[in-house]
């Protein structure tokens, strides 16, 4: 393609509203342009790369036996009312009315649509298992769209749904698609981890997220430094062994701790470390109050609290609620003489404390020399704290390290949840009607493109892996005024095209500096420059990533490039 004809509006400056490299560079290099908050145009270069990501996803999904379909983005509200999500999904679900005032949702996801589709078309076990997928825009009215394509309100998603007679069949498909996801992200050149995740509102049991390691990621991954164990930090079980210090329990004392509010202030006032104190956090669990006690230096893990209480809703009690139930505020809570109606649970580490401190359930007062079992009882001890760096890896191999990750994929074992709600059933081998067992599998296609940029860029601009580059090679004619040089450059361009290279040919009337800056910014991995030695039949080849340059004779160029890219 001749660059003089191509819409590539590169910018001289970094756009100020963009903070992350991927957001900045995709704008600066003329790949995307914002239409509204979280809503983007893909310009020609951006669309070419987006299509390459899509095609990798499509190839691997087809190879895994999934069948591509296309479902409507316009979804009748009735479906969401039947599944109950019309009311539970708040403002994030974008809604509109048609000319007859009928309510619709803009597709945020397609569990309801796909279940209603397959319900009406498949009614025998003979047609199962079946996996369908689509690659289509999704709409979610994020409260704070930001970071360009990483968190948009309209974004391209591949969403797949599988239908099964039973969980054994679901496991087979889940594992096969899990492997397909690994191939997809490997082919995109990404450094990623598949992490054990929490199914959140989707219910079901197993679920994994595919996380691209990046400092700008919003999720924290706990991973083993020696095995491939990795989990969302909120999911990783804590396997730490504790031992009781062999000191004599002392007499319980209640002391005044004026103005000591935070754990640290109390610890400082009492002259001991955080880990010799206890933290008591009040949760509202469905419609009752639960006090969770952890060691002072540990973080309570609300996903673990939720799973322990097997609750629908778990949220922190407000200060007001706490005061009314406990008679004291956040900084003075403890398990000693807590009100009957408040269940007290504690993390395993608390059991091994001796002569610790805790709030006295009276503002401005704490207990010291507190000893579990002697001074307070808990309804149960459980793993209720978040794992920390240095903790033993739950798989028994190595120790845990933390990393930030960008979620680019998420796979779920849904079970019969949606089939039950929407009447999705089939006749089993005994002729009895049963609900479909389902799985669902998502990839953020436009988010993956941004995640690649986060891992592939340098101070000069984008730096695409060969699998995703918008063009195979960038041919630059340095002097578009000298006719013999134009002749050589045109000949190079035509000969590479004739060998099926996808070539971006910079034939513009621009200074060399502008051409080189734009080329570095656009990020095509290989560059052929036609310059001074053109009349000797030599062109300069440059490897964008390494900066290596060498002169190559025109007659050698095709063979040289074939070695590199094919
Ligand atoms: C909504 C809105 C936002 C949502 C959802 C529904 C996330 C929603 C979870 C999923 C589960 C899987 C199929 C592909 C893989 C992920 N945000 N989720 O269901 F109405 Cl506004 O999307 N769906």
């Amino acid at each position: 393609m001749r660059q003089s004809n191509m819409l590539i509006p590169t910018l001289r400056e970094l756009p100020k509203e963009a903070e992350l490299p991927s957001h900045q560079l995709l704008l600066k290099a003329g790949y995307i342009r914002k239409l509204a908050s979280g809503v983007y145009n893909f310009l020609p270069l951006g669309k070419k790369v987006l299509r390459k990501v899509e095609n990798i996803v499509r190839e691997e999904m087809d190879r895994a036996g999934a069948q591509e379909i296309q479902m409507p983005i316009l979804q009748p509200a009735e479906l969401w009312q039947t599944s109950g999500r019309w009311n539970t999904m708040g403002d994030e679900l974008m809604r509109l009315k048609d000319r007859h005032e009928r309510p619709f949702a803009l597709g945020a996801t397609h569990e309801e649509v796909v279940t209603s589709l397959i319900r009406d078309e498949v009614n025998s076990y003979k047609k199962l298992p079946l996996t369908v997928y689509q690659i289509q825009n999704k709409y979610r009215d994020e409260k704070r769209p930001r970071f360009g394509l990483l968190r948009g309100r309209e974004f391209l998603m591949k969403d797949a749904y599988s239908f099964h007679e039973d969980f054994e069949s679901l496991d087979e498909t889940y594992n096969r698609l899990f492997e397909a996801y690994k191939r997809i992200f490997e082919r995109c050149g990404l450094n990623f981890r598949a992490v054990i995740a929490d199914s959140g509102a989707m219910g079901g049991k197993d679920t994994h997220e595919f996380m691209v390691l990046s400092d700008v990621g919003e999720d924290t991954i706990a991973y083993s430094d020696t095995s491939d164990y990795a989990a969302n930090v909120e999911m990783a079980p804590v396997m730490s062994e504790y031992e009781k210090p062999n000191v004599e329990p002392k007499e319980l004392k209640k002391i005044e701790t004026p103005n000591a509010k935070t754990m640290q202030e109390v610890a400082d006032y009492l002259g001991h470390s955080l880990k010799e104190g206890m933290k008591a956090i009040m949760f509202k669990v469905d419609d009752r109050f639960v006090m969770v006690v952890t060691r002072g230096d540990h973080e309570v893990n609300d996903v673990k609290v939720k799973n322990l209480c097997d609750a629908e809703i778990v949220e922190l009690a407000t200060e007001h609620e706490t005061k009314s139930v406990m008679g004291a505020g956040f900084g003075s809570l403890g398990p000693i003489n807590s009100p009957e109606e408040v269940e007290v649970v504690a993390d395993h580490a608390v059991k091994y404390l001796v002569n610790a401190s805790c709030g006295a359930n009276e503002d401005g007062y704490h207990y010291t020399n507190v000893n579990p079992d002697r001074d307070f009882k808990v309804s149960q001890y459980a793993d209720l704290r978040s794992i920390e760096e240095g903790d033993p890896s739950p798989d028994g191999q190595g120790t845990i390290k933390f990393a930030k990750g960008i979620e680019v994929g998420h796979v779920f074992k849904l079970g019969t949840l949606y089939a039950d709600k929407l009447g999705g059933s089939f006749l089993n081998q005994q002729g009895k009607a049963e609900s479909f067992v389902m799985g669902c599998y998502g990839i953020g296609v436009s988010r993956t493109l941004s995640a690649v940029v986060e891992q592939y860029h340098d101070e000069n601009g984008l730096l695409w892996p060969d699998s995703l580059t918008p063009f195979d090679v960038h041919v630059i004619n340095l002097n578009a005024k000298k006719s013999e040089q134009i002749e050589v450059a045109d000949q190079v361009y035509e000969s590479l095209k004739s060998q099926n290279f996808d070539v971006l040919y910079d034939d513009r009337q621009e200074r060399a500096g502008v051409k080189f800056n734009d080329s570095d910014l656009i990020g095509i991995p290989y560059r052929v420059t036609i310059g001074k030695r053109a009349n000797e039949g030599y062109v300069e080849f440059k490897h964008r990533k390494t900066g290596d340059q060498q002169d190559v004779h025109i007659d050698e160029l095709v063979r040289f490039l074939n070695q590199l890219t094919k």
Side-chain angles (χ1 to χ4, degrees):
M1 181 74 176
R2 287 177 176 270
Q3 204 159 331
S4 54
N5 303 331
M6 203 164 177
L7 175 62
I8 309 178
T10 55
L11 303 172
R12 287 285 149 263
E13 301 305 320
L14 280 183
K16 59 190 174 310
E17 87 270 10
E19 311 107 88
L20 296 195
S22 58
H23 188 192
Q24 292 170 339
L25 290 172
L26 287 171
L27 287 168
K28 188 167 192 266
Y31 278 69
I32 61 172
R33 281 292 180 272
K34 184 168 108 170
L35 176 63
S37 168
V39 181
Y40 285 86
N41 294 287
F42 281 84
L43 299 184
L45 289 181
K47 179 59 180 173
K48 273 178 82 91
V49 176
L50 188 66
R51 190 186 295 120
K52 289 209 169 177
V53 178
E54 249 185 70
N55 286 337
I56 288 174
V57 171
R58 182 169 286 115
E59 276 169 23
E60 294 302 337
M61 290 303 290
D62 292 348
R63 185 184 308 184
Q67 300 172 54
E68 186 168 8
I69 61 172
Q70 179 166 313
M71 292 183 271
I73 289 175
L74 266 183
Q75 302 182 7
E78 290 82 354
L79 279 175
W80 288 72
Q81 286 154 351
T82 308
S83 74
R85 295 210 286 180
W86 184 257
N87 298 325
T88 55
M89 300 318 291
D91 296 339
E92 199 183 336
L93 180 62
M94 301 193 85
R95 306 159 201 244
L96 69 155
K97 286 195 171 22
D98 70 8
R99 61 170 53 199
H100 307 294
E101 288 296 298
R102 286 194 213 100
F104 282 79
L106 277 186
T109 183
H110 281 68
E111 280 82 9
E112 284 81 357
V113 172
V114 80
T115 306
S116 70
L117 173 69
I118 303 303
R119 165 193 70 196
D120 299 343
E121 303 308 327
V122 171
N123 52 27
S124 159
Y125 71 94
K126 292 179 186 136
K127 294 279 186 189
L128 300 176
L130 169 69
T131 304
V132 292
Y133 77 95
Q134 64 174 353
I135 301 178
Q136 170 131 278
N137 272 348
K138 291 280 185 293
Y139 299 84
R140 294 178 184 178
D141 200 358
E142 294 283 346
K143 207 179 300 184
R144 278 190 59 223
R146 58 189 185 284
F147 304 154
L149 303 179
L150 281 182
R151 184 168 291 278
R153 294 194 291 172
E154 172 187 84
F155 54 93
L156 189 61
M157 183 196 272
K158 184 285 302 176
D159 47 325
Y161 305 86
S162 63
F163 297 83
H164 310 269
E165 293 178 71
D166 54 32
F167 278 89
E168 190 185 339
S169 164
L170 167 59
D171 288 351
E172 279 165 31
T173 297
Y174 187 92
N175 297 337
R176 194 166 59 251
L177 290 181
F178 189 97
E179 293 308 313
Y181 272 49
K182 286 164 70 174
R183 280 196 299 277
I184 287 166
F185 297 121
E186 279 156 9
R187 289 182 60 186
C188 290
L190 285 167
N191 176 13
F192 69 95
R193 290 281 188 297
V195 308
I196 298 161
D198 174 48
S199 56
M202 292 311 284
K205 51 191 188 74
D206 287 358
T207 170
H208 288 83
E209 285 167 348
F210 286 77
M211 293 286 190
V212 167
L213 303 187
S214 161
D215 295 342
V216 305
E218 293 182 332
D219 294 274
T220 302
I221 305 159
Y223 69 96
S224 159
D225 57 359
T226 57
S227 73
D228 64 0
Y229 178 87
N232 223 314
V233 68
E234 59 199 20
M235 289 303 291
V238 170
M239 321 298 266
S240 304
E241 301 294 320
Y242 307 98
E243 75 259 353
K244 222 175 179 66
N246 57 355
V247 292
E248 280 310 302
K250 293 182 199 155
E251 190 192 346
L252 182 70
K253 274 187 358 191
K254 180 173 171 180
I255 55 170
E256 194 169 359
T257 50
N259 318 319
K261 271 281 166 232
T262 66
M263 288 298 301
Q264 192 57 57
E265 285 162 352
V266 171
D268 294 345
Y269 186 83
L270 299 174
H272 60 53
S273 73
L274 271 184
K275 64 194 297 182
E276 291 163 298
M278 271 178 260
K279 202 189 286 184
I281 310 275
M282 288 299 286
F283 281 89
K284 207 157 61 175
V285 176
D286 289 339
D287 54 2
R288 63 194 175 91
F289 288 99
V290 173
M291 179 192 285
V292 179
V293 182
T294 64
R295 207 173 73 186
D297 59 320
H298 287 156
E299 287 304 315
V300 69
N301 181 316
D302 50 355
V303 170
K304 292 181 179 176
V305 172
K306 184 163 186 276
N307 292 338
L308 178 78
C309 303
D310 191 15
E312 279 298 305
I313 298 171
V314 167
E315 53 199 13
L316 289 173
T318 64
E319 179 103 44
H320 175 72
E321 288 163 331
T322 303
K323 273 204 183 342
S324 63
V325 168
M326 299 297 295
F330 286 159
S332 317
L333 301 178
I336 298 176
N337 305 329
S338 59
E340 271 310 301
E341 77 270 20
V342 175
E343 181 185 3
V344 181
V345 296
D347 178 68
H348 291 307
V350 171
K351 203 167 19 190
Y352 299 86
L353 289 173
V354 176
N355 300 329
S357 67
C358 69
N361 295 326
E362 191 178 335
D363 284 338
Y365 285 87
H366 282 74
Y367 284 112
T368 58
N369 300 336
V370 178
N371 289 281
D373 293 340
R374 184 193 74 180
D375 302 328
F376 66 92
K377 294 274 182 275
V378 297
S379 72
Q380 57 181 315
Y381 283 99
D383 170 10
L384 293 172
R385 74 172 176 90
S386 285
I387 202 164
E388 294 175 334
E389 289 201 281
D391 282 346
S393 172
D395 67 353
Q397 301 172 52
T399 54
I400 286 295
K401 289 193 176 316
F402 280 3
K404 284 293 185 188
I406 301 171
E407 179 192 335
V408 288
H410 200 159
V411 291
F412 294 79
K413 289 181 184 172
L414 278 180
T416 59
L417 213 62
Y418 284 89
D420 291 341
K421 286 180 179 171
L422 291 148
S425 66
F426 65 96
L427 291 179
N428 69 12
Q429 301 193 30
Q430 291 70 37
K432 199 161 78 57
E434 283 194 56
S435 288
F436 295 123
V437 173
M438 290 172 61
C440 65
Y441 319 83
I443 289 180
V445 175
S446 44
R447 179 181 278 186
T448 296
L449 186 155
S450 266
V452 169
V453 176
E454 284 299 327
Q455 289 194 344
Y456 285 84
H457 69 272
D458 63 16
E459 66 283 354
N460 299 319
L462 300 165
L463 224 182
W464 296 106
D466 289 7
S467 57
L468 299 179
T469 177
F471 287 94
D472 298 327
V473 58
H474 200 174
V475 171
I476 296 182
N477 175 10
L478 276 193
N479 188 332
K481 290 195 173 65
K482 279 171 65 179
S483 57
E484 67 272 10
Q485 191 143 324
I486 295 172
E487 222 172 278
V488 171
D490 286 358
Q491 184 214 335
V492 165
Y493 172 49
E494 292 307 328
S495 80
L496 289 179
K497 268 203 315 184
S498 68
Q499 297 290 322
N500 292 326
F501 284 102
D502 194 6
V503 183
L504 179 62
Y505 172 29
D506 192 348
D507 60 343
R508 298 174 298 165
Q509 303 282 355
E510 293 280 355
R511 286 181 295 101
V514 167
K515 294 194 174 191
F516 283 136
N517 283 341
D518 281 353
S519 180
D520 282 343
L521 182 57
I522 287 168
I524 293 167
Y526 307 111
R527 179 194 308 167
V528 171
T529 304
I530 288 87
K532 295 185 292 303
R533 298 197 59 195
N535 52 17
E536 298 167 54
Y538 278 91
V539 295
E540 184 192 82
F541 175 82
K542 179 174 182 179
H543 204 298
R544 167 81 179 77
K545 185 175 172 62
T546 60
D548 294 349
Q549 307 197 15
Q550 65 191 77
D551 286 352
V552 175
H553 194 275
I554 292 177
D555 303 342
E556 296 299 305
L557 193 53
V558 168
R559 194 178 55 74
F560 183 81
L561 276 171
N562 273 322
Q563 272 170 14
L564 267 177
T565 54
K566 303 291 177 200

